[in-house]
Amino acid sequence: MTTGLVLTGGGARVAYQVGVLKGIATILPRTVYNPFPIITGTSAGAINAMSIAGRPGSFRLRMRKLETIWRNLHASDIYRTDFIGVTANIFHVLASLLHSGYGIGRPISLLNNQPLKQLLNNYIKFKHLETAIDSRELQAIAVTAMNYASGQSITFFQGHSELQNWSRARRKGKSVDININHLMASTAIPNLFPSVEIDGTYYGDGALRQLKPMSPALHMGAKKLLTISVSNSSVQSSSIPSKHSPSIAAIIGHMFSSAFTDAIESDLESLQAINRLAKLIPESQREAHGIEDLSPIEALHIAPSQSIDAIACQHLQELPITLRMLLKLTGATDDGDGINAASYLLFEPGFCRRLIDLGYQDAFDNADQIKQFFDL
């Protein structure tokens, strides 16, 4: 059965995915060149997805190189952290609020993510996608972005010629030759990073309107799915009564969690319910009634065994002072209720390395399930 990999978004938190994938590469035999013929990613998860699909070499080699990038990553590699870069963008945002015409024709955002674009252009070999697809090493790769004009979730995919575009409620799949603009669009967190123009339309972070994160992989032919998210509701800090109203950062943090985490958890619950129903109907009956597509989809979901928010609290001071000042204004402090929002921007070695190590350990804690999933 064709295996699909689904990587959710989550800013700096997706370093956890790198650890899990490194663990899987270690668990699998060295002879496994690419265990995921179908790869999909959204937001920062799209960066990891493209880093796997858009590089030649064995799976272990690709993961070692990706891990090296993440272990040595700094916030300045993702967005401008210098005083002029940060204050200039804040000025543009304020100016657009005071004069509606100021922002026309220019994407407005709090942070300038040109360093990220340069990093990805240098690392990902977009031309390799066609080579991998032609050799059948890769069946399809996809990244998802949100169309600001229509509000639809658009999955840009590149795969073999038999794959067709699709259209469902609030979501579409569009065959393209994926390039840096599609990837930057998928990672463009609203207000933080600028929207990206593609064919005359502006796009933003794909997690915002992605109601069915697993759907693109299934449309492209996956029969079983491995999903890796960056939050686990069962291990998050317990609710503590607040003595004051939530800070701006706390509200933003919940919005991010809703976009990056809630959708995949809800989608998994739906898939489990459909699987239970499908197993009650014999295959012969499904064929007789024209519902042969209603077949069980094996899914393995791996999520953090520890609270990433708690880990972020220990590393917030790693951020450049300009970012710490900006975050403090919104309430994102290590002793406040907005640490969740800050964790998405914590692209610093100490934090990322902790998440990689956590993901690696979680993979080995789930080694039996991983071996069963890959029929080892």
Side-chain angles (χ1 to χ4, degrees):
M1 291 191 293
T2 305
T3 303
L5 174 64
V6 179
L7 299 176
T8 64
R13 299 162 73 106
V14 303
Y16 173 81
Q17 296 173 349
V18 178
V20 173
L21 291 168
K22 174 190 173 184
I24 291 174
T26 305
I27 293 169
L28 294 178
R30 290 181 178 272
T31 53
V32 177
Y33 192 80
N34 178 22
F36 304 107
I38 294 174
I39 304 175
T40 70
T42 301
S43 192
I47 295 176
N48 287 337
M50 288 298 302
S51 297
I52 297 170
R55 297 282 299 189
S58 68
F59 186 58
R60 286 193 181 188
L61 177 61
R62 279 180 269 187
M63 289 315 305
R64 281 201 297 269
K65 291 184 176 179
L66 183 57
E67 180 189 8
T68 299
I69 293 289
W70 276 97
R71 281 191 176 275
N72 296 284
L73 202 61
H74 291 272
S76 58
D77 297 319
I78 306 300
Y79 47 83
R80 288 188 61 178
T81 60
D82 59 286
F83 181 78
I84 294 177
V86 173
T87 54
N89 272 48
I90 293 176
F91 171 79
H92 292 320
V93 172
L94 293 176
S96 67
L97 293 174
L98 295 174
H99 192 288
S100 60
Y102 182 85
I104 295 177
R106 68 166 79 184
I108 300 297
S109 65
L110 281 171
L111 298 173
N112 181 334
N113 62 347
Q114 281 302 304
L116 173 63
K117 186 174 184 178
Q118 182 177 348
L119 174 68
L120 296 178
N121 254 331
N122 291 336
Y123 183 72
I124 298 173
K125 310 300 182 185
F126 290 93
K127 291 184 178 179
H128 176 70
L129 298 177
E130 184 177 356
T131 301
I133 292 169
D134 289 343
S135 67
R136 292 290 174 171
E137 169 206 328
L138 185 68
Q139 183 169 320
I141 171 69
V143 299
T144 298
M146 185 196 70
N147 184 319
Y148 274 115
S150 66
Q152 291 181 317
S153 175
I154 308 297
T155 296
F156 298 106
F157 70 90
Q158 186 171 346
H160 59 73
S161 58
E162 291 83 3
L163 289 178
Q164 300 294 318
N165 294 345
W166 66 83
S167 179
R168 297 292 186 272
R170 290 290 178 182
R171 60 189 193 276
K172 290 183 177 181
K174 184 178 181 181
S175 177
V176 298
D177 289 332
I178 296 177
N179 58 43
I180 187 64
N181 289 331
H182 300 107
L183 185 52
M184 293 300 293
S186 183
T187 61
I189 301 175
N191 297 325
L192 287 181
F193 298 144
S195 57
V196 177
E197 183 181 4
I198 300 175
D199 297 330
T201 301
Y202 283 95
Y203 292 85
D205 197 292
L208 290 179
R209 301 300 293 268
Q210 193 176 35
L211 304 177
K212 301 291 183 181
M214 296 186 295
S215 174
L218 297 176
H219 277 294
M220 294 188 298
K223 298 303 180 184
K224 59 180 183 179
L225 300 174
L226 174 68
T227 63
I228 308 174
S229 60
V230 296
S231 184
N232 188 338
S233 58
S234 65
V235 299
Q236 297 307 298
S237 302
S238 59
S239 178
I240 300 175
S242 300
K243 296 181 180 180
H244 54 76
S245 61
S247 65
I248 294 175
I251 295 172
I252 292 175
H254 284 295
M255 292 172 61
F256 284 171
S257 295
S258 175
F260 297 128
T261 305
D262 295 355
I264 189 66
E265 292 179 349
S266 175
D267 209 11
L268 282 165
E269 287 184 351
S270 298
L271 179 64
Q272 291 165 357
I274 293 173
N275 281 345
R276 288 194 294 269
L277 174 62
K279 289 177 181 178
L280 293 175
I281 306 174
E283 185 176 352
S284 59
Q285 290 295 314
R286 294 199 296 267
E287 293 178 353
H289 291 84
I291 53 173
E292 56 270 10
D293 289 342
L294 186 64
S295 57
I297 300 294
E298 182 181 355
L300 174 60
H301 179 62
I302 299 178
S305 59
Q306 299 177 27
S307 169
I308 291 184
D309 289 353
I311 296 174
C313 282
Q314 302 169 23
H315 294 274
L316 189 61
Q317 295 304 312
E318 294 179 13
L319 280 170
I321 188 171
T322 50
L323 263 296
R324 295 205 306 271
M325 291 174 60
L326 178 61
L327 290 170
K328 190 172 184 178
L329 290 174
T330 67
T333 59
D334 54 6
D335 59 351
D337 58 356
I339 192 64
N340 179 274
S343 69
Y344 291 91
L345 296 175
L346 235 172
F347 294 94
E348 293 294 338
F351 180 62
C352 292
R353 291 172 185 178
R354 284 281 302 277
L355 296 192
I356 291 172
D357 293 341
L358 175 62
Y360 187 73
Q361 184 59 53
D362 285 351
F364 274 90
D365 289 343
N366 290 276
D368 290 341
Q369 294 95 311
I370 291 172
K371 290 178 180 178
Q372 182 180 357
F373 181 81
F374 287 102
D375 300 320
L376 298 180

